[in-house]
Amino acid sequence: MPAGGGAGAMPDAPFGRMLTAMVTPMTADGAVDYQGAASLAEYLVGDMRNDGLVLSGTTGESPTTTDAEKDRLLRAVIEAVGERAAVLAGVGTNDTAHTCELARQAERAGAAGLLVVTPYYSKPPQTGLAAHFTRVADATGLPVMLYDIPGRTGTPIATETLVSLGSHPRIVAVKDAKGDALASSWVLARTDLAYYCGDDPLNLPWLAIGAAGFVSVHGHLVGDRLHEMIDAYAAGDVRTALAIHRELLPVYTGMTRAQGVVTTKAALAMLGRPGGPVRLPLADATPAQIEQLREDLTAGGVKLR
């Protein structure tokens, strides 16, 4: 038996195990940098060992990109890496009809799947959430990953709602950023939904309760090491997986000192990779934030320019 004991068989992972929620690179004047997006996708798949990419999520600044920009971005990344990685489109909004239209647009562009966040701000009841997700899943033939992040949306997807939605043939996965191990464990015990950890500091603990993999922001910088963590855990080498988790603690700390898109784009600049500025109402990292982030990333073993 490998050092650390056996972790048991890993659950099925319909989109691969290591995915990064990709930023949307921008040019200096704030336009979407489609060539930069293709280049960043190549880096994430080739160097950072990502099995998949998620575009136009919150990390992709979806609230401030247009439908046309989302479509062109998706097509550029699929052309660059679509034969080597699953490219998912974030289509979630707080308008069901608009979400369905974005879903159909993503299907036409060739997306491998859809990420659908809980409708935000309006705080719908659970019956409304179930109807929303069902309507979106019925709008295309693509598999759907639900995104449960109540800290951003204001509304959790209740356990019973997730169990019910798990019976839909195209709702196959959950990106879980709720941070409730008990609730997630109950869903995992009662459905075949594949869980992807959506909160990087919890990546290893979520493997222990049955996660299939990660949808990571820190994968921009340490996707290869996160993939090593998954590989070690899957092989039963929990000791090595834990060692990687602890080595990455300074990265987790540094990347969460400020808003995630802000720190990610600042970090990409340190790597010489496409990222560019953020769009308002976000604001680029300050010199002090950049210096602190550089110290944190260096302590976590990230090789910067």
Side-chain angles (χ1 to χ4, degrees):
M1 180 181 292
M10 292 282 286
D12 291 340
F15 303 110
R17 300 204 182 277
M18 177 60 213
L19 294 83
T20 288
M22 197 177 101
V23 300
T24 299
M26 306 284 183
T27 60
D29 62 358
V32 175
D33 180 2
Y34 300 103
Q35 184 175 351
S39 174
L40 180 60
E42 287 276 4
Y43 170 71
L44 292 175
V45 172
D47 293 60
M48 289 292 101
R49 295 188 63 199
N50 278 275
D51 304 317
L53 301 173
V54 179
L55 305 184
S56 295
T58 310
T59 306
E61 297 181 77
S62 59
T64 55
T65 56
T66 68
D67 292 2
E69 287 173 328
K70 290 178 174 68
D71 184 54
R72 185 175 171 188
L73 174 70
L74 179 59
R75 291 175 185 273
V77 171
I78 290 172
E79 182 177 358
V81 301
E83 294 185 357
R84 292 175 285 145
V87 180
L88 280 68
V91 300
T93 74
N94 58 356
D95 174 354
T96 303
H98 186 201
T99 302
C100 289
E101 178 50 41
L102 287 174
R104 289 187 286 265
Q105 174 178 282
E107 184 175 43
R108 291 191 297 269
L114 306 173
L115 178 74
V116 186
V117 72
T118 310
Y120 40 83
Y121 186 73
S122 51
K123 291 191 174 182
Q126 292 298 312
T127 53
L129 291 186
H132 172 83
F133 289 128
T134 300
R135 184 78 61 85
V136 177
D138 287 343
T140 78
L142 294 176
V144 171
M145 179 188 293
L146 306 180
Y147 186 10
D148 191 7
I149 181 167
R152 288 280 183 90
T153 66
T155 307
I157 311 175
T159 298
E160 292 303 324
T161 304
L162 285 165
V163 170
S164 175
L165 290 168
S167 65
H168 193 290
R170 283 184 295 281
I171 297 177
V172 300
V174 177
K175 178 184 176 183
D176 183 24
K178 186 155 55 183
D180 187 336
L182 179 60
S184 298
S185 295
W186 272 114
V187 178
L188 284 162
R190 296 168 63 192
T191 73
D192 292 325
L193 289 168
Y195 260 58
Y196 288 82
C197 183
D199 187 358
D200 276 294
L202 297 179
N203 282 335
L204 181 57
W206 253 238
L207 290 180
I209 65 170
F214 313 148
V215 177
S216 169
V217 174
H218 304 171
H220 286 91
L221 312 173
V222 293
D224 53 345
R225 292 159 72 188
L226 290 173
H227 210 303
E228 289 174 13
M229 179 194 290
I230 295 170
D231 291 344
Y233 190 87
D237 188 356
V238 179
R239 187 174 298 163
T240 295
L242 178 58
I244 295 169
H245 170 77
R246 289 175 174 170
E247 289 167 2
L248 293 177
L249 290 176
V251 178
Y252 295 155
T253 299
M255 291 292 287
T256 55
R257 289 186 191 274
Q259 199 273 353
V261 184
V262 173
T263 54
T264 301
K265 286 196 167 183
L268 287 170
M270 297 179 200
L271 293 174
R273 299 291 173 181
V278 297
R279 284 182 173 173
L280 289 171
L282 297 180
D284 293 322
T286 65
Q289 288 173 326
I290 291 170
E291 183 56 34
Q292 179 63 67
L293 180 60
R294 181 178 291 277
E295 292 178 11
D296 292 326
L297 296 181
T298 300
V302 179
K303 295 179 181 178
L304 306 172
R305 291 199 311 176

